Amino acid sequence: MQIRTGDTFDPHVVALLDYHVTSARAQTAPGSAHALDLAGLRASDVAFWTGWNGDTLVATGALKTLSASHGEVKSMHTLQTARRRGYGGQMLRHIITEARARGMTRLSLETGSWDYFKPAHALYQAHDFVPCGPFEGYVEDPNSLFLTLDLSAWARR
């Protein structure tokens, strides 16, 4: 997979992100969906990447800067027909590497707690993310799972 800076105006990217946001929100209780829309991905505190297999867009991922030392994983999505091929893990490792290069020592995320999100839970746990409490404006919510990664510990892997 080739990872490159995401173009939020590319029709392929727009379509995949629309699917991601629509399907995630359909599986999440009202008021508990926190996926970034296109405007959110264009914010100055967000770095966004796309993953390509040839001419096919297979994955997206973003890093939102919360502070100089803390980042948030956002907009992780793998094309339905490209799942179970390692693309999600490649994108997540790219985001972790970028966060470390930017001097961050902690990387956190929020994802749904429902069965629909279990593959995401497995991916994050396989990369040493552990449960944590709400962070950066989130509130305790039974529909959310909060995870964090100590980047200094991850670097020693």
Side-chain angles (χ1 to χ4, degrees):
M1 176 174 78
Q2 179 192 31
I3 297 175
R4 56 187 183 223
T5 300
D7 176 358
T8 59
F9 296 98
D10 180 317
H12 297 95
V13 174
V14 171
L16 186 59
L17 288 171
D18 181 58
Y19 176 81
H20 166 64
V21 170
T22 301
S23 61
R25 288 186 177 159
Q27 295 294 327
T28 305
S32 295
H34 304 288
L36 290 179
D37 59 12
L38 288 169
L41 288 171
R42 293 176 184 141
S44 62
D45 61 347
V46 175
F48 173 63
W49 298 279
T50 52
W52 298 82
N53 181 9
D55 293 333
T56 303
L57 173 63
V58 294
T60 64
L63 171 63
K64 181 176 182 179
T65 299
L66 303 177
S67 72
S69 62
H70 191 193
E72 180 179 6
V73 175
K74 298 294 289 183
S75 299
M76 283 285 298
H77 185 79
T78 302
L79 182 69
Q80 186 73 30
T81 58
R83 293 192 177 163
R84 312 286 306 158
R85 296 186 196 167
Y87 296 133
Q90 284 180 289
M91 182 61 74
L92 183 57
R93 286 187 297 278
H94 177 79
I95 293 169
I96 291 168
T97 299
E98 284 289 324
R100 289 186 63 234
R102 294 168 189 227
M104 294 178 183
T105 58
R106 180 177 173 211
L107 195 54
S108 301
L109 63 93
E110 179 278 338
T111 190
S113 63
W114 301 13
D115 286 348
Y116 172 83
F117 298 97
K118 284 194 178 200
H121 301 168
L123 172 68
Y124 297 129
Q125 291 167 349
H127 287 82
D128 299 329
F129 281 81
V130 296
C132 67
F135 59 93
E136 195 62 31
Y138 289 106
V139 296
E140 197 63 50
D141 180 348
N143 299 305
S144 290
L145 175 66
F146 301 100
L147 300 170
T148 195
L149 174 65
D150 176 347
L151 291 174
S152 60
W154 194 84
R156 293 189 295 268
R157 289 180 69 188

